[in-house]
Amino acid sequence: MSILIKNGRIISASDDYIADIYIEGETISAIGKDLDVKPDKVIDASGKLIFPGGIDPHVHLDMPFMGAFSSDDHETGTRAALFGGTTMVIDYAIQTRGDSLHSALKIWKGRANGKAYGDYSFHIAITDYNENVKAELQDIIEKEGITSFKTFMAYKGALMIDDKQMLGIMNEVKKYDGLVAVHATNGDMIEYLVEKYKSEGKLTPWYHYLSQPEITEAEATGRFVDLAYLSGVNSYVVHMTCEGALNKVREATVRNQKVLVETCPQYLLLDASLYKNGFEAAKWVMSPPLREKKDRETLWAGIKQGLIQSVGTDHCPFMWNDKLKGENDFTKIPNGAPGIEHRIELLYSEGVKKDRICLNKLIEVTSTNVAKIFGLFPQKGTIAVGSDADIVIFDPEEKHTISADTHHHRCDYSAYEGLEVTGKTKTVFLRGEVAIDNDEVKVGKGYGKFIKRGVPL
Ligand code: URP
Ligand code: ZN
Ligand code: ZN
């Protein structure tokens, strides 16, 4: 099958031009004007923007967590992602303590295989570092194509590792040029505050917010930055929320250290005033929590300054019934919020349209940089001859309102209910197939495939 997309305005991380794109099979075979080709199908994209398919570096699908499962699985989650122009996601396979990394990968691959609509890969979260795990890393990186590992400095007693384990992981991952990512908040400080509030009978979602103040994130980020410096590993801080944490990364640039940073739309757009909404605030109970308006400004500036390279959603939805488990105790509210569908539209509407970032930056942080950091470039993350034909046709003017009534997440509320956005994903190609067209999914369940990754560029 061959397709010609005509007259679209192609946006990459560095370019902005009008041209035609010729797709043959799964890849792009030509880009230019007046191409001498005989396509099976022609699509007119006049007046539309053309983006490379989005890659979401941070999602949790079908994840057992805090007594529940995240409510989108690989079927509904990757489908919702496609509706918003995200053609690939990188999910987290979490090692069960006492079990191997290979086993975690097998379990998560089993969850996704035959179900996903969009392409996918996994990071592996190492929760129990020991000699057996150490011996697995080379194979996982070089044979399995899993090149990034998440570590937790929080969730004490469940996922958290200590600094010695962190250094062990960093040292080993560095040998094979992989990357260590971190959930950087100080688990001991948080536990101290949680115990204090609980002993005082302070159990509403507001105290979730107060038990993870900015200093808990700044401290852990600084420590992670130092550990990464000592080991020399490729390092990446996930879901950064605040000024104090970003300043630790900024300071490290003085000694010529590069630490990669991800933030999320919720930290760019929402703030902690939402925790004043009684138990409804449980919708935004996530870790780290939403912050202050000054932090939002710092994060937008950090993207502009190149200190923040990627925007993931940390999509981790729970049905309201699961959130209710914490009605009388905020520590029992499953942490996480939905958002996989809205990342590109939110960043376009609130970022590009409001002059906070330019179109090229939008593509950088939602696709190109993610592909480079996670070993997918140039197969993915760009519109270029030879790359996968993962392409989004985007209407820059169409307005719509985000709502749980119309979103494609399997979640009975939205974190952005009632927000009007400008700009809409119209048509999405995934490896040369029309995957979404005018609000309808066109590929079948199971079309999405596991993509092996290389090391960071
Ligand atoms: O609250 C969150 N972020 N839930 C998902 C797990 C994590 O820490 O990323
Ligand atoms: Zn996390
Ligand atoms: Zn997460």
Side-chain angles (χ1 to χ4, degrees):
M1 173 79 166
S2 61
I3 302 175
L4 186 67
I5 305 173
K6 282 189 74 68
N7 300 320
R9 182 174 159 202
I10 301 171
I11 314 293
S12 73
S14 52
D15 297 308
D16 181 343
Y17 60 105
I18 293 178
D20 304 341
I21 301 172
Y22 187 52
I23 301 169
E24 282 181 298
E26 296 205 345
T27 56
I28 296 170
S29 62
I31 302 172
K33 289 262 177 73
D34 304 320
L35 295 172
D36 185 16
V37 294
K38 292 194 172 50
D40 299 320
K41 185 173 173 178
V42 177
I43 293 174
D44 182 18
S46 304
K48 304 286 193 300
L49 303 177
I50 310 277
F51 300 155
I55 307 167
D56 191 334
H58 191 153
V59 306
H60 301 279
L61 301 174
D62 208 4
M63 177 176 74
F65 193 50
M66 298 181 74
F69 273 80
S70 56
S71 55
D72 267 315
D73 61 13
H74 297 83
E75 177 183 340
T76 59
T78 59
R79 191 174 58 203
L82 282 175
F83 274 103
T86 290
T87 48
M88 177 163 176
V89 302
I90 312 182
D91 187 19
Y92 284 90
I94 318 270
Q95 178 200 14
T96 303
R97 284 189 170 167
D99 211 347
S100 69
L101 304 186
H102 280 92
S103 161
L105 184 59
K106 191 167 169 221
I107 293 168
W108 253 266
K109 274 186 165 177
R111 289 189 170 131
N113 187 27
K115 285 178 85 178
Y117 280 82
D119 285 353
Y120 58 92
S121 175
F122 302 97
H123 315 276
I124 299 182
I126 304 178
T127 61
D128 186 10
Y129 188 64
N130 53 47
E131 287 302 313
N132 294 338
V133 170
K134 180 178 176 183
E136 288 186 275
L137 280 167
Q138 181 172 12
D139 188 76
I140 292 276
I141 293 172
E142 294 179 353
K143 294 215 179 74
E144 301 291 347
I146 301 294
T147 54
S148 47
F149 301 88
K150 185 173 178 185
T151 54
F152 291 89
M153 296 170 92
Y155 300 121
K156 197 163 184 224
L159 304 170
M160 181 169 149
I161 58 164
D162 63 27
D163 293 351
K164 190 163 174 224
Q165 288 177 304
M166 179 74 87
L167 277 169
I169 294 167
M170 287 176 161
N171 198 41
E172 203 60 19
V173 169
K174 180 182 156 53
K175 284 187 194 160
Y176 311 107
D177 290 329
L179 176 146
V180 175
V182 69
H183 174 124
T185 55
N186 181 316
D188 286 304
M189 284 168 130
I190 293 169
E191 187 178 78
Y192 163 78
L193 289 170
V194 165
E195 282 174 3
K196 171 174 140 55
Y197 291 127
K198 282 184 88 161
S199 72
E200 293 166 359
K202 294 172 173 165
L203 294 167
T204 63
W206 176 247
Y207 293 95
H208 169 77
Y209 166 61
L210 289 188
S211 62
Q212 299 195 36
E214 181 174 10
I215 193 170
T216 62
E217 189 175 337
E219 189 285 331
T221 304
R223 191 156 34 97
F224 176 77
V225 166
D226 286 343
L227 296 170
Y229 188 65
L230 196 66
S231 69
V233 75
N234 294 311
S235 55
Y236 180 93
V237 182
V238 305
H239 55 39
M240 188 178 282
T241 71
C242 60
E243 185 183 12
L246 191 61
N247 281 343
K248 299 291 181 184
V249 171
R250 197 190 310 274
E251 282 161 20
T253 63
V254 174
R255 62 186 179 201
N256 200 21
Q257 185 186 3
K258 178 92 176 164
V259 176
L260 301 163
V261 177
E262 165 199 286
T263 190
C264 311
Q266 56 271 32
Y267 301 122
L268 291 162
L269 305 183
L270 308 177
D271 64 64
S273 59
L274 288 166
Y275 294 122
K276 292 184 175 149
N277 288 336
F279 190 71
E280 207 200 330
K283 289 176 185 168
W284 299 280
V285 165
M286 60 184 77
S287 292
L290 301 173
R291 302 286 185 202
E292 307 297 316
K293 292 198 172 75
K294 59 109 181 151
D295 297 299
R296 298 195 324 205
E297 296 314 316
T298 300
L299 295 176
W300 281 113
I303 291 176
K304 250 191 168 164
Q305 294 155 354
L307 279 172
I308 297 175
Q309 293 79 16
S310 79
V311 178
T313 56
D314 194 9
H315 178 74
C316 189
F318 292 97
M319 298 301 263
W320 186 245
N321 211 28
D322 286 323
K323 290 279 185 181
L324 282 173
K325 291 181 207 293
E327 207 171 1
N328 300 314
D329 177 353
F330 71 88
T331 64
K332 296 194 166 56
I333 302 171
N335 284 202
I340 204 169
E341 182 173 353
H342 306 308
R343 182 179 63 132
I344 295 170
E345 291 172 355
L346 285 171
L347 282 194
Y348 178 80
S349 189
E350 294 289 319
V352 176
K353 286 300 259 187
K354 296 193 173 168
D355 279 336
R356 288 168 162 142
I357 55 170
C358 67
L359 270 171
N360 301 109
K361 188 57 100 175
L362 171 79
I363 301 310
E364 246 187 66
V365 298
T366 58
S367 181
T368 311
N369 281 351
V370 181
K372 288 181 176 171
I373 293 167
F374 294 108
L376 293 161
F377 192 85
Q379 179 188 354
K380 295 192 181 288
T382 188
I383 294 180
V385 172
S387 294
D388 282 0
D390 299 349
I391 294 170
V392 177
I393 302 182
F394 192 83
D395 184 331
E397 299 304 334
E398 187 172 326
K399 292 188 192 310
H400 61 112
T401 300
I402 295 177
S403 170
D405 295 337
T406 49
H407 71 196
H408 298 88
H409 303 145
R410 189 196 278 154
C411 188
D412 45 9
Y413 57 87
S414 170
Y416 303 97
E417 186 67 38
L419 181 69
E420 188 185 70
V421 290
T422 303
K424 190 162 183 0
T425 300
K426 302 301 290 182
T427 306
V428 178
F429 299 84
L430 174 55
R431 285 181 282 104
E433 291 288 329
V434 176
I436 299 288
D437 197 30
N438 279 320
D439 280 329
E440 274 182 41
V441 63
K442 300 289 187 188
V443 286
K445 175 177 161 180
Y447 177 71
K449 70 175 190 190
F450 172 72
I451 307 286
K452 278 192 180 184
R453 296 186 284 115
V455 295
L457 272 191

